[in-house]
């Protein structure tokens, strides 16, 4: 019996050891072969579902961007909506205009005063752009497609192989016509080379914008796809769309205003020099600007950028699946994924890290509200002065202060982190916004008592970084 027992134990140990070795071998094989080619991919493979046959783990994550989960100051809730012929969506995000009606006064006379909602995940970017009420108020150009659709293949198709030529053609098309050219929201081919899987920049607007910025630093002829490091690319692929921009000239060319630098005063100085306005404020006559979503610019002023931390490190952190290490393609707020997004570097409990972020955001939001109140006061003062008979010439300085204060406020309002990407810079911007707006009120009363604001020179602005 003893011998039989020994044989059985030995057999079980041998089987267990063999199973362990087989498992280790399989994991090592998985690590050596991060993917298996199930279907061939080309530079024309647009559908992410086809890429997903070769990269099922990343594709499964990509599909999760349909979720609607909010944090204290970001994300969105799923609001039911009755579909119409004009807008077939049955679910939308909550309206920011209903959350804070002051935004309607801020954007009076501009399409954003009609419809402005919380941002949803990448899965919704195309539908939300196609069916927003802003499309009904203003006929938008095809330029919008650069950041709301998978446009790499359509650009090449329109340009007969020339990406920039296709970009220029689509910019000048009405959005409703351009919409027929694309099918998907941002997809695999917009960020990855189909043969090497390397990250790449595919948006001509970013290629030109980052080259102009590098030129301001003395680096000429910068080619982002040849000269950027791998870690830089893990930010640049996101910075293709999460930026400030405008449509230049009658050709509606998408331009990132970075030729003087990335800080808010650099960008305002660029717009002042170009004499650019987004619209004339309906109540005050000020030549106003609408900030877009300058995440890349504000991140550049923060500690994470200074420490070499990329967008992907926090919003697409690495994770282990079996033996493989992959980037999480469920792109979302780090607050919804603190373990992988934050605790890789910060060895603090999740509750502590969440509290730190929300403290920064709460303080930023309070400052934002002070700036918003100051803007409402200035708008009301200018309206009252106009009703009392003052002319635009009388109010020119006050209107200029509104342009500046409103743009600074909007720079933080439109940026999608409520100050977290660069807390001190966000507070500085809002403080300067309040100062501009209160000076505007003084200018309504006595413009001769104030010195008109002077945009900083490029050298001065760069030196403050």
């Amino acid at each position: 019996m003893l011998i039989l027992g020994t044989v059985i134990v030995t057999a079980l140990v041998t089987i267990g050891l063999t199973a362990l070795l087989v498992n280790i071998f399989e994991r090592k094989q998985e690590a050596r072969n991060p993917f298996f080619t199930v279907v061939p991919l080309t530079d024309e493979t647009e559908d992410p579902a086809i890429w997903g046959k070769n990269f099922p783990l990343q594709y499964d994550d990509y599909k999760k961007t349909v979720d609607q989960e909010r944090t204290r100051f970001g994300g969105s809730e799923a609001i039911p909506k009755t579909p119409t012929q004009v807008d077939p969506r049955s679910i939308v995000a909550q309206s920011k205009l209903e959350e804070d009606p002051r935004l309607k006064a801020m954007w009076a006379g501009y399409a954003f005063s009609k419809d402005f909602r919380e941002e949803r995940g990448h899965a919704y970017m195309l539908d939300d752009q196609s069916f927003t009420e802003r499309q009904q108020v203003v006929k938008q150009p095809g330029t919008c497609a650069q950041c709301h659709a998978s446009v790499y293949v359509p650009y090449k198709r329109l340009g007969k192989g020339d990406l920039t030529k296709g970009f220029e053609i689509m910019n000048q098309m009405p959005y409703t016509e351009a919409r027929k050219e694309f099918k998907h929201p941002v997809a695999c081919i917009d960020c990855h080379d189909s043969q090497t899987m390397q990250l790449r920049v595919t948006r001509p607007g970013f290629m030109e914008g980052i080259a102009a910025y590098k030129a301001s630093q003395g680096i000429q002829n910068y080619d982002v796809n040849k000269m950027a490091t791998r870690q830089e690319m893990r930010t640049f692929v996101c910075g293709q769309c999460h930026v400030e921009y405008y449509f230049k000239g009658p050709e509606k060319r998408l331009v990132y205003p970075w030729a003087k630098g990335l800080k808010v005063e650099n960008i305002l100085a660029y717009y002042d020099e170009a004499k650019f306005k987004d619209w004339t404020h309906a109540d005050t006559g000020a030549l106003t600007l609408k900030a877009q979503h300058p995440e890349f610019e504000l991140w550049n002023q923060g500690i994470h950028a200074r420490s070499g931390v990329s967008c992907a490190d926090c919003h697409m952190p690495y994770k282990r699946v079996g033996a493989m290490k992959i980037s999480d393609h469920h792109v979302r707020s780090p607050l919804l994924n603190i373990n992988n997004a934050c605790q890789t570097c910060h060895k603090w409990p999740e509750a502590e890290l969440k509290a730190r972020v929300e403290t920064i955001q709460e303080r930023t939001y309070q400052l934002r509200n002070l700036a918003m109140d100051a803007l409402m006061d200035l708008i009301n003062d200018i309206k009252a002065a106009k009703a009392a008979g003052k002319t635009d010439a009388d109010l020119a300085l006050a209107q200029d202060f509104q342009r500046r204060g409103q743009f600074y406020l909007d720079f933080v309002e439109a940026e999608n982190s409520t100050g977290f990407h660069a807390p001190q810079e966000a507070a500085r911007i809002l403080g300067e916004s309040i100062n501009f707006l209160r000076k505007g009120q003084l200018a309504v009363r006595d413009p001769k008592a104030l010195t008109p604001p002077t945009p900083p020179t490029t050298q001065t602005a760069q030196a403050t970084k």
Side-chain angles (χ1 to χ4, degrees):
M1 287 297 291
L2 180 60
I3 295 175
L4 179 60
T6 302
V7 170
I8 293 174
V9 169
T10 302
L12 291 174
V13 169
T14 301
I15 292 171
L17 185 61
T18 302
L20 176 63
L21 291 173
V22 169
N23 185 270
I24 293 173
F25 176 77
E26 289 176 347
R27 300 288 83 79
K28 285 186 175 181
Q29 288 300 108
E30 287 178 5
R32 288 196 187 97
N33 301 290
F35 70 94
F36 294 94
T37 301
V38 178
V39 294
L41 300 175
T42 73
D43 208 36
E44 311 297 325
T45 308
E46 198 175 358
D47 188 347
I50 297 176
W51 288 64
K53 295 181 185 300
N54 291 350
F55 303 96
L57 298 175
Q58 290 87 345
Y59 182 60
D60 285 347
D61 285 342
Y62 169 84
K63 290 192 294 183
K64 293 176 184 174
T65 61
V66 296
D67 66 357
Q68 288 191 248
E69 184 176 1
R70 70 165 303 148
T71 62
R72 168 73 178 85
F73 289 103
S76 59
E77 297 161 5
I79 307 296
K81 175 188 170 301
T82 302
T84 65
Q85 190 169 6
V86 176
D87 181 358
R89 293 175 297 173
S90 59
I91 294 174
V92 294
Q94 66 270 31
S95 169
K96 286 191 174 183
L97 299 179
E98 293 176 6
E99 290 176 346
D100 190 343
R102 292 176 296 182
L103 292 170
K104 294 181 181 178
M106 180 177 178
W107 296 319
Y110 199 51
F112 274 81
S113 68
K114 302 299 181 184
D115 187 21
F116 180 56
R117 297 176 181 276
E118 286 283 2
E119 295 82 1
R120 298 200 287 178
H122 283 170
Y124 299 106
M125 61 197 296
L126 185 50
D127 280 351
D128 286 351
Q129 170 64 23
S130 299
F131 301 118
T132 173
E133 286 180 45
R134 297 195 296 274
Q135 290 280 9
Q136 300 164 33
V137 176
V138 177
K139 299 301 179 188
Q140 299 188 357
T143 318
C144 301
Q146 167 158 301
C147 293
H148 289 275
S150 179
V151 288
Y152 176 70
V153 173
Y155 278 168
K156 286 183 58 183
R157 185 168 60 243
L158 285 172
K160 301 187 186 309
D162 185 329
L163 190 71
T164 301
K165 183 66 176 176
F167 160 74
E168 292 169 341
I169 292 172
M170 190 177 288
N171 286 347
Q172 298 181 59
M173 298 168 69
Y175 183 82
T176 50
E177 289 299 312
R179 181 65 184 83
K180 300 172 185 172
E181 298 289 335
F182 42 82
K183 302 173 184 174
H184 306 283
V186 65
C188 317
I189 199 168
D190 295 293
C191 302
H192 292 280
D193 183 292
S194 64
Q195 302 307 301
T196 66
M197 297 304 125
Q198 286 188 337
L199 291 173
R200 63 177 178 179
V201 169
T202 57
R203 270 42 175 183
F206 185 89
M207 295 174 192
E208 295 173 0
I210 198 71
Y213 172 59
K214 293 290 185 180
S216 75
Q217 297 180 316
I219 303 171
Q220 303 300 323
N221 303 316
Y222 183 79
D223 184 329
V224 63
N225 282 316
K226 294 179 180 176
M227 301 168 74
T229 66
R230 180 177 179 279
Q231 184 66 357
E232 286 176 327
M233 290 299 278
R234 300 182 78 238
T235 287
F236 289 169
V237 292
C238 306
Q240 295 184 88
C241 295
H242 291 266
V243 293
E244 168 63 10
Y245 58 81
Y246 79 112
F247 303 159
K248 183 179 181 180
E251 66 276 16
K252 302 297 182 186
R253 191 180 192 88
L254 185 65
V255 172
Y256 299 177
W258 298 341
K260 295 178 181 294
L262 298 178
K263 298 183 73 172
V264 64
E265 54 263 47
N266 304 140
I267 294 171
L268 182 59
Y270 174 96
Y271 285 142
D272 284 346
E273 188 172 297
K275 301 186 185 308
F276 176 75
K277 65 167 184 176
D278 278 304
W279 88 106
T280 300
H281 196 277
D283 293 330
T284 68
L287 307 181
T288 32
L289 299 164
K290 172 74 187 79
Q292 307 305 324
H293 24 76
E295 282 86 58
F296 177 71
E297 291 90 339
L298 197 64
W299 164 85
N300 256 285
Q301 312 306 319
I303 186 63
H304 286 95
R306 292 289 186 271
S307 303
V309 179
S310 72
C311 302
D313 286 320
C314 303
H315 294 277
M316 302 176 67
Y318 289 119
K319 66 177 184 179
R320 285 278 177 190
V321 181
M324 288 187 289
K325 176 184 172 186
I326 67 170
S327 288
D328 188 343
H329 282 61
H330 182 189
V331 186
R332 54 182 166 160
S333 167
L335 284 178
L336 300 173
N337 189 21
I338 291 175
N339 178 229
N340 286 337
C342 309
Q343 290 182 314
T344 302
C345 299
H346 302 286
K347 307 302 182 186
W348 294 88
E350 285 196 13
E352 168 65 18
L353 292 170
K354 184 168 181 280
R356 290 186 189 186
V357 174
E358 290 186 343
T359 297
I360 290 170
Q361 293 182 322
E362 184 66 42
R363 290 170 180 170
T364 304
Y365 188 68
Q366 289 173 4
L367 263 177
R368 171 263 190 200
N369 278 337
L370 292 175
M372 190 67 78
D373 285 343
L375 176 61
M376 295 303 105
D377 290 343
L378 176 55
I379 288 173
N380 288 332
D381 282 2
I382 295 176
K383 286 169 62 177
K386 279 178 167 282
K390 285 195 175 183
T391 65
D392 282 340
D394 299 328
L395 297 167
L397 183 57
Q399 292 168 338
D400 188 56
F401 276 123
Q402 181 189 342
R403 169 185 168 89
R404 294 171 192 286
Q406 183 164 323
F407 183 65
Y408 274 49
L409 164 59
D410 208 6
F411 202 82
V412 177
E413 169 71 16
E415 199 274 336
N416 196 22
S417 78
T418 318
F420 180 75
H421 284 146
Q424 291 181 318
E425 175 68 354
R428 180 190 74 84
I429 292 170
L430 290 172
E432 296 217 26
S433 169
I434 295 169
N435 188 44
F436 284 136
L437 295 166
R438 295 305 183 193
K439 282 186 174 178
Q441 286 184 274
L442 294 175
V444 172
R445 295 166 177 79
D446 183 8
K448 294 180 181 176
L450 293 170
T451 303
T454 304
T457 64
T458 302
Q459 290 74 20
T460 302
Q462 295 292 348
T464 61
K465 288 181 67 177

